[in-house]
Amino acid sequence: MNIDQVRPWRTIERRKSRKIMMGNLEIGGDAPISVQSMTNTPTSDAGATIDQIRRLEEAGADIVRVSCPDEESTAALKEIVKASKVPIVADIHFHYKRGIEAAEAGAACLRINPGNIGSSDRVREVVNAARDNGACIRIGVNGGSLEKHLLEKYGEPCPEAMVESALDHARILDDHNFREYKISVKASDVFMTVAAYQGLAEATDAPLHLGVTEAGPARTGGVKSSIGMGNLLWAGIGDTLRVSLSADPVEEIKVGFDILKSLNLRTRGVNIIACPSCARQGFDVISTVETLEQRLEHIREPITLSIIGCVVNGPGEAAGTDLGFTGGGKDAGMMYIGGKPDHKLSNADMIEHIVDQVEKRADYIRSQATS
C-alpha cells in the first residue's frame, strides 16, 4: 500500500513552480529541493575558494555561491568553476560588468537585482550574457536593502514591499524574454520572511530560493531557519534553500539537510533517532550519539538509526528504523535490524558494531542501485 494512503498527515504537496536549469541541475517543478551554501574565502584566491567548495561538496552541497565584488574575483571564477563539481552562483551587486564577466567565466547562475544593475541597456547586456552562456539568474530581494521608493510607499520594510520589489525585478527579466530565473525574498525577521514568501508563492510560478537572512550564530540561526523554512517547506513552498549562519559554511549544509530530512523531503545520510536520556538509560546516550554522528558523517545513503537508552520506547522506535540499539540489560542491549530484535550487544562494543552495521547497510543500498 502507498505510504501516503497509510499516513496522509505526512504528505507535503509541493507548489507547482516552473522548472529551470542551473548548469546540469534541475530547479523547481518536481526536482528535489536543493541545498546551497556560500564561500567566505576571498574569491580572488582561487585555491582557498576551491578548497572550501570541496568541503561543501563532501558535506552534500548541491549549489555553492561565491561573491564577485571586483574584477580579480571574476578573473579567478573560471578556474573555480572548472574545479567545482556543483553549479556555481556568482553573487553580483551594482556593477553590471561583473555579471557579464561571471557569465563568461562559466557561472551557472548570476545572483543579481536587475533594478540595481543600472540602465536598461546594462540590464540587457547582463541578461544577454546569461542567455549566451547558459546561465540562469536569481533575483535576490533582501528586507534590509529595499528600494527607497518602496520604503516611502510602505513606511518600513514589510512583506508587501518585498513581494512588490521581487515582481518588479522579475518584470524586467520578462520584458527581455528571459524566464530562466528564480527568486528569493529574505529577511532576518522570521515572520516577515514567511509572509513574504507566502505572498510571492501566490503571485508567480517562478522557483523560489528560501532563506532567513543574517540568521545569526549556529544554534540560534539554525533555530530561526528551521522555524521559517520549516513552515514554508511544510506548506509546499521552496525549491532551493540556504541556511545563513555566522559559522563554518559546512554547518549550513548540515542544518539544511536536517531540515529537509525532518520533513521527509530529502533522505541523504543517516537519520539518527535518539532519546534525550534519563536515569533509566542503560548506557551514556548523549556521548554515544555524538560519537556516532561524527563517525557516520561520510554515509550518503538514506538510513534510519535509533539509539534509545531503555526499553520504554526503545523497541517501538527500533521497529520503525533500519537499524537500532536499545539499552536494557546489564552493560548490554539489543540490536535491531529491519525493525526486529536480532542479537544482544555489549555496551563496550556497540559503537564499532553499529558503525559496521550502518556501513554494510550503505554498501547494500549502493549495490542495489547499481545492479
Side-chain angles (χ1 to χ4, degrees), residues 2-66:
N2 189 306
I3 196 166
D4 293 339
Q5 296 173 313
V6 179
R7 301 167 184 161
W9 33 268
R10 294 181 65 177
T11 301
I12 293 176
E13 185 176 346
R14 287 181 61 191
R15 163 182 168 269
K16 291 178 173 60
S17 61
R18 68 174 182 264
K19 187 177 289 186
I20 67 171
M21 298 300 296
M22 184 182 294
N24 294 323
L25 183 68
E26 292 184 335
I27 302 293
D30 59 357
I33 297 168
S34 298
V35 180
Q36 175 178 315
S37 184
M38 185 174 185
T39 58
N40 55 22
T41 54
T43 306
S44 56
D45 186 342
T49 303
I50 290 168
D51 286 345
Q52 192 168 72
I53 291 172
R54 193 71 68 237
R55 292 179 57 234
L56 292 168
E57 290 170 345
E58 290 171 358
D62 300 302
I63 304 166
V64 175
R65 179 158 59 114
V66 300

Side-chain angles (χ1 to χ4, degrees), residues 319-342:
T321 56
D322 299 315
L323 300 167
F325 181 78
T326 296
K330 183 175 174 56
D331 298 325
M334 177 60 69
M335 188 75 199
Y336 290 73
I337 297 179
K340 298 179 180 179
D342 192 82

Side-chain angles (χ1 to χ4, degrees), residues 2 29 96 112 234 261 267 296 363:
N2 189 306
Y96 79 104
I112 64 170
W234 201 334
K261 283 196 290 188
T267 55
L296 298 174
D363 289 341

Side-chain angles (χ1 to χ4, degrees), residues 7 18 40 61 66 78 88 103 122 132 146 151 165 181 184 200 214 234-235 243 278 287-288 307 314-315 329 370:
R7 301 167 184 161
R18 68 174 182 264
N40 55 22
V66 300
K78 188 171 185 179
I88 295 297
R122 290 182 173 182
D132 292 345
L146 285 168
L151 292 175
S165 175
Y181 63 81
S184 65
L200 188 61
E214 284 102 32
W234 201 334
V243 179
C278 70
S287 66
T288 299
I307 304 294
T370 57

Side-chain angles (χ1 to χ4, degrees), residues 10 43 54 79 113 116 203 220 245 271 289 295-296 303 319 331 345:
R10 294 181 65 177
T43 306
R54 193 71 68 237
E79 181 182 352
N113 280 345
N116 69 23
T220 54
L245 301 177
N271 184 16
V289 170
R295 294 282 302 274
L296 298 174
I303 296 171
D331 298 325
L345 179 63

Side-chain angles (χ1 to χ4, degrees), residues 35-239:
V35 180
Q36 175 178 315
S37 184
M38 185 174 185
T39 58
N40 55 22
T41 54
T43 306
S44 56
D45 186 342
T49 303
I50 290 168
D51 286 345
Q52 192 168 72
I53 291 172
R54 193 71 68 237
R55 292 179 57 234
L56 292 168
E57 290 170 345
E58 290 171 358
D62 300 302
I63 304 166
V64 175
R65 179 158 59 114
V66 300
S67 182
C68 294
D70 48 42
E71 194 171 355
E72 290 76 19
S73 296
T74 51
L77 198 59
K78 188 171 185 179
E79 181 182 352
I80 292 167
V81 168
K82 186 176 180 181
S84 176
K85 299 175 184 176
V86 299
I88 295 297
V89 179
D91 192 61
I92 308 295
H93 285 281
F94 305 116
H95 208 301
Y96 79 104
K97 286 188 177 179
R98 301 294 85 79
I100 296 170
E101 292 161 0
E104 292 175 345
C109 180
L110 307 179
R111 189 275 192 197
I112 64 170
N113 280 345
N116 69 23
I117 289 295
S119 67
S120 59
D121 288 341
R122 290 182 173 182
V123 172
R124 185 182 301 109
E125 287 190 56
V126 175
V127 171
N128 286 340
R131 182 184 286 115
D132 292 345
N133 291 279
C136 65
I137 287 175
R138 171 158 77 90
I139 297 168
V141 174
N142 192 305
S145 56
L146 285 168
E147 294 90 331
K148 184 178 179 181
H149 75 276
L150 290 174
L151 292 175
E152 291 175 349
K153 176 179 178 179
Y154 290 97
E156 64 176 1
C158 64
E160 294 80 7
M162 294 174 70
V163 172
E164 185 170 334
S165 175
L167 295 178
D168 286 346
H169 292 310
R171 198 172 296 113
I172 295 171
L173 296 185
D174 291 336
D175 288 345
H176 286 85
N177 198 30
F178 189 89
R179 298 277 288 167
E180 293 290 304
Y181 63 81
K182 61 178 183 174
I183 308 175
S184 65
V185 280
K186 299 181 180 182
S188 57
D189 180 281
V190 174
F191 296 95
M192 191 189 304
T193 298
V194 172
Y197 276 108
Q198 289 171 336
L200 188 61
E202 294 179 359
T204 179
D205 70 343
L208 301 183
H209 171 72
L210 302 187
V212 178
T213 196
E214 284 102 32
R219 180 174 59 83
T220 54
V223 171
K224 287 181 187 176
S225 297
S226 298
I227 292 171
M229 288 192 280
N231 267 285
L232 292 166
L233 292 165
W234 201 334
I237 297 171
D239 301 288

